[in-house]
Amino acid sequence: MGGNGLNSREKVLKLLNHEEVDFIPCFSGMGNIVMDGLKKYGLQFNEVHQDARKMALAAKATPELFGYDCAIVPFDFNVCAEALGSKVQYYKTEDILYPSIPEKIIKSFEDIKLPSDPENAGRFPVVMEAIRILKKETGNDVAVGSWVLGPFTLAGQVTDLTKLLKDTFKKPNEVIQFLTPLRDLLIAEAKLYQKAGADFITVREMGTPVDLLSPRVWKSMIQPFMIKMREEIGSPVVLHICGKTNEIIHFMHECGYDAVSVEHQNDVAMSRQKIGPPPKNLLLGNLNTYKVMVEGTAENVANEVRAAIDGGVDAIWPGCDIWPGTPAENMKAMVETTREYGSKKKKGG
Amino acid sequence: MVDDEKRNDILKRLSDGVVYYDEEKVIVASNEAVEDGLDPFDAIMNGLAAGMEIVGQLYEKQEYFVPEILMCADALYGGLNILRPHLKAKEMKEAVKGQVVIGVVQGDVHDIGKNLVKMMFDVAGFTVHDLGADVPLEKFAEEQVRTDSNIIALSAMMTTTMMGMKKVIHMIKERNPDVAIMVGGAPLTKEVADIFGADGYAENAGNAVQEAIKMISRLREMHAKQQLGATP
């Protein structure tokens, strides 16, 4: 099997460092908690978002149980919005319900108030502490990652998205003005997570696929923000967008991230052609986290893993947060098929 | 009364105004329709809604994206607000008599798709019970029973929230299997909608509009059949 003698962390970092590798890792930069992992540590889904210790345990259970190559925090999309003053609703039910923001408090650029001390703002310190715990308890073996949103996606969390979208047409300069301070806070957030010890950062600009914005608007409005974030955050850093991305994959790639990440609606073979070969150009993806991972059989998962590898991905990477209800046998099938088929493929098999 | 030439002219301007998100044009044409005595139902369905159907097609072809659709929707409402008060009781009867409960499932606050689908139901003359966003799952079933609505439309924009839909569908179908359930949102696929047991599915904002139109015409057929069945 490829990656002889290397542990999970070394494999992930070698890949993201653009070295020639003879293996395909199985990891992602997005949430990876599963119910089996919560059970292992006696946790409820609703208690892992505000407590650093519980957050870390939930994240590290997945590599422990299934040999997944990373542990990732946090799990919900509201950490930065909370630091901007949004009130987050935490659910108390036993259902798997991610926290949300019921009220958009920011109406215009003037309402944006950046925290004076980011290191102690909102849940930034909770995520930082979770990263420190992960580094200490599992950081020698698995890659510890964290992520931040992109400014457009964050804007959708804190302000009226309908107005924002229309303004991309009517008042593009105002949109750019609005997104700039958000970008700066997101960069600060990423740096805090690096300071706490994160091995790699993923920037999730989820709200900007071709389903929503035209490639032209992506290029003119979103790309400059992505480039700035890439420059400021530094390596290793991954850019992720979900939804349809084949039409913008080359623009994503131009931003200079160490890797681009896509979901199942992206035709990875086509993307591979557009961005060029590894190890310089890395493509991560693109397992369907619901239809295949949750509803499919282990065999379906194995087939999807093989199809993604055949399509040319450099890591098997679920295209979104792993849904906590994903069955254990599907998690195992994902990791094991990646190891076996990935090494075979790398040897030219 | 209006002759065919005048009618076609107004309908075309209504449709074009929606397609090219020219709210002013829609308002002028709508006022003219009222003044000239054009059937307001005709103006809504064959002018405004016809324009929105073209918008849906442009979205499918990736000529339009969501910002454009939102501006088209503004133009459409500009006309609808003028025309709807002039619908007479007779025309209201010809419109589908239907009620729909619509909302974004708990945990999700993204309501763009929901608002676009709501618009199509508004256009078709439905009574719309809009529950808003981040709606507790039981609320959909309660509201359906309270209003005796025949359609439930559920939206979720994130993979992390769409799972709630399965539960809602189950809850409602258990009590009332005849309710038509439509689901939509970015993370959904046709297969997932089928797994969830939904009757209709819209992958994105553009085909939400088309799917709503299809669903309304299906209901219209059902309605017509029922009426035939009721005739002695």
Side-chain angles (χ1 to χ4, degrees):
Chain A
M1 211 171 283
N4 233 346
L6 296 177
N7 67 28
S8 287
R9 178 170 187 270
E10 289 160 339
K11 284 188 197 169
V12 168
L13 293 184
K14 269 184 186 296
L15 178 80
L16 293 178
N17 197 34
H18 306 281
E19 294 177 34
E20 287 284 356
V21 296
D22 63 349
F23 54 83
I24 291 184
C26 184
F27 75 114
S28 102
M30 300 173 275
N32 65 345
I33 41 173
V34 288
M35 296 312 274
D36 290 286
L38 295 176
K39 205 159 103 192
K40 176 178 174 177
Y41 287 107
L43 298 167
Q44 296 286 333
F45 181 78
N46 65 32
E47 60 181 348
V48 299
H49 307 291
Q50 294 166 280
D51 179 304
R53 176 87 203 138
K54 290 173 179 172
M55 187 184 278
L57 289 175
K60 77 174 185 158
T62 305
E64 286 171 351
L65 288 174
F66 305 110
Y68 199 55
D69 289 319
C70 68
I72 307 294
V73 287
F75 316 124
D76 69 292
F77 303 144
N78 311 307
V79 177
C80 196
E82 201 171 23
L84 277 166
S86 297
K87 196 171 162 3
V88 175
Q89 176 172 359
Y90 297 95
Y91 298 92
K92 296 287 171 229
T93 64
E94 287 188 10
D95 292 339
I96 304 168
L97 267 180
Y98 282 86
S100 66
I101 298 172
E103 197 198 346
K104 311 283 179 89
I105 53 159
I106 297 177
K107 309 288 178 212
S108 69
F109 173 72
E110 288 73 27
D111 294 340
I112 301 175
K113 288 189 185 61
L114 296 183
S116 53
D117 176 19
E119 197 153 349
N120 290 302
R123 281 182 292 154
F124 288 165
V126 176
V127 180
M128 289 177 74
E129 180 59 18
I131 293 170
R132 282 187 212 105
I133 295 170
L134 286 171
K135 283 300 286 179
K136 191 165 156 232
E137 297 184 3
T138 194
N140 289 330
D141 306 319
V142 306
V144 174
S146 188
W147 54 270
V148 298
L149 296 176
F152 196 86
T153 309
L154 174 59
Q157 296 289 95
V158 297
T159 194
D160 178 11
L161 189 57
T162 303
K163 181 176 182 302
L164 190 77
L165 280 165
K166 284 190 275 195
D167 283 350
T168 62
F169 244 82
K170 294 179 177 172
K171 303 167 187 165
N173 289 334
E174 285 187 21
V175 176
I176 290 166
Q177 181 196 37
F178 189 93
L179 296 183
T180 302
L182 303 189
R183 174 200 69 194
D184 293 341
L185 182 59
L186 290 161
I187 290 170
E189 182 186 4
K191 288 186 173 192
L192 289 175
Y193 298 162
Q194 287 172 327
K195 184 177 160 191
D199 291 316
F200 71 104
I201 298 288
T202 301
V203 175
R204 302 174 69 174
E205 188 60 303
M206 305 173 285
T208 63
V210 183
D211 313 67
L212 219 61
L213 290 179
S214 69
R216 193 170 44 81
V217 169
W218 203 93
K219 170 93 180 158
S220 65
M221 185 172 289
I222 306 299
Q223 195 189 47
F225 287 103
M226 294 298 103
I227 292 173
K228 178 75 174 170
M229 287 184 77
R230 193 268 170 275
E231 287 168 353
E232 292 289 325
I233 294 170
S235 289
V237 63
V238 179
L239 175 58
H240 170 78
I241 299 181
C242 37
K244 292 179 186 151
T245 45
N246 274 106
E247 296 83 352
I248 54 170
I249 190 80
H250 51 301
F251 295 149
M252 291 168 67
H253 180 247
E254 277 170 15
C255 299
Y257 285 71
D258 293 300
V260 287
S261 148
V262 295
E263 63 142 59
H264 60 274
Q265 290 187 64
N266 183 286
D267 176 338
V268 289
M270 195 190 284
S271 294
R272 182 87 266 172
Q273 274 203 328
K274 274 191 173 180
I275 71 168
K280 182 169 177 288
N281 311 293
L282 299 175
L283 178 65
L284 315 176
N286 65 337
L287 296 196
N288 185 326
T289 50
Y290 181 72
K291 195 186 107 192
V292 177
M293 293 286 288
V294 177
E295 293 287 345
T297 62
E299 190 51 37
N300 296 144
V301 174
N303 287 339
E304 174 131 326
V305 167
R306 287 191 280 262
I309 291 173
D310 289 343
V313 298
D314 299 297
I316 286 295
W317 165 290
C320 190
D321 305 270
I322 291 176
W323 178 252
T326 302
E329 57 271 25
N330 288 2
M331 291 296 294
K332 282 182 197 142
M334 170 178 73
V335 174
E336 281 164 18
T337 311
T338 306
R339 295 260 154 83
E340 286 159 22
Y341 193 72
S343 303
K344 201 171 118 202
K345 194 82 182 175
K346 280 283 176 184
K347 287 198 186 99
Chain B
M1 289 309 286
V2 282
D3 58 24
D4 270 359
E5 195 185 334
K6 182 71 187 164
R7 170 178 174 265
N8 289 338
D9 172 58
I10 292 178
L11 293 181
K12 179 157 186 352
R13 279 151 57 208
L14 289 170
S15 168
D16 282 355
V18 170
V19 173
Y20 300 108
Y21 38 89
D22 186 342
E23 197 174 341
E24 197 48 44
K25 186 171 183 164
V26 173
I27 289 171
V28 170
S30 299
N31 284 325
E32 218 173 297
V34 172
E35 281 159 25
D36 293 358
L38 179 66
D39 177 358
F41 186 68
D42 188 23
I44 291 172
M45 294 311 284
N46 300 316
L48 299 176
M52 207 61 199
E53 213 171 339
I54 297 171
V55 172
Q57 289 158 6
L58 288 170
Y59 179 84
E60 288 300 302
K61 282 193 247 166
Q62 298 202 344
E63 282 182 41
Y64 273 16
F65 297 85
V66 175
E68 289 91 331
I69 297 183
L70 292 171
M71 291 189 286
C72 296
D74 286 350
L76 182 142
Y77 271 115
L80 199 57
N81 291 339
I82 295 169
L83 293 166
R84 200 158 35 186
H86 296 275
L87 283 176
K88 295 184 200 98
K90 180 181 157 290
E91 281 127 5
M92 294 293 274
K93 258 186 212 160
E94 279 170 19
V96 180
K97 268 200 213 151
Q99 293 193 74
V100 55
V101 174
I102 192 166
V104 182
V105 297
Q106 190 165 35
D108 208 323
V109 294
H110 301 90
D111 59 2
I112 288 176
K114 186 266 292 173
N115 290 340
L116 288 170
V117 175
K118 179 188 171 192
M119 170 183 74
M120 295 316 295
F121 285 117
D122 278 339
V123 164
F126 271 65
T127 306
V128 182
H129 305 281
D130 185 358
L131 299 177
D134 196 13
V135 180
L137 303 181
E138 311 75 42
K139 184 80 185 148
F140 286 99
E142 286 166 19
E143 188 73 2
Q144 190 276 322
V145 171
R146 192 184 72 74
T147 58
D148 196 24
S149 291
N150 31 17
I151 302 184
I152 310 276
L154 306 164
S155 167
M157 210 37 71
M158 302 189 292
T159 313
T160 52
T161 53
M162 72 168 183
M163 306 296 293
M165 290 179 164
K166 192 176 183 176
K167 229 174 165 172
V168 179
I169 294 170
H170 186 71
M171 262 189 249
I172 293 166
K173 291 269 174 184
E174 218 174 41
R175 291 190 212 176
N176 188 350
D178 294 335
V179 178
I181 300 185
M182 179 175 170
V183 298
L188 281 149
T189 60
K190 176 80 177 69
E191 292 96 326
V192 171
D194 290 343
I195 293 167
F196 283 6
D199 303 297
Y201 151 72
E203 168 188 23
N204 51 47
N207 72 22
V209 169
Q210 289 174 324
E211 185 66 22
I213 292 169
K214 267 192 262 164
M215 189 167 248
I216 290 163
S217 45
R218 275 205 295 276
L219 278 163
R220 191 178 268 159
E221 283 163 24
M222 277 163 56
H223 186 68
K225 273 185 204 151
Q226 277 169 8
Q227 296 239 313
L228 280 178
T231 321

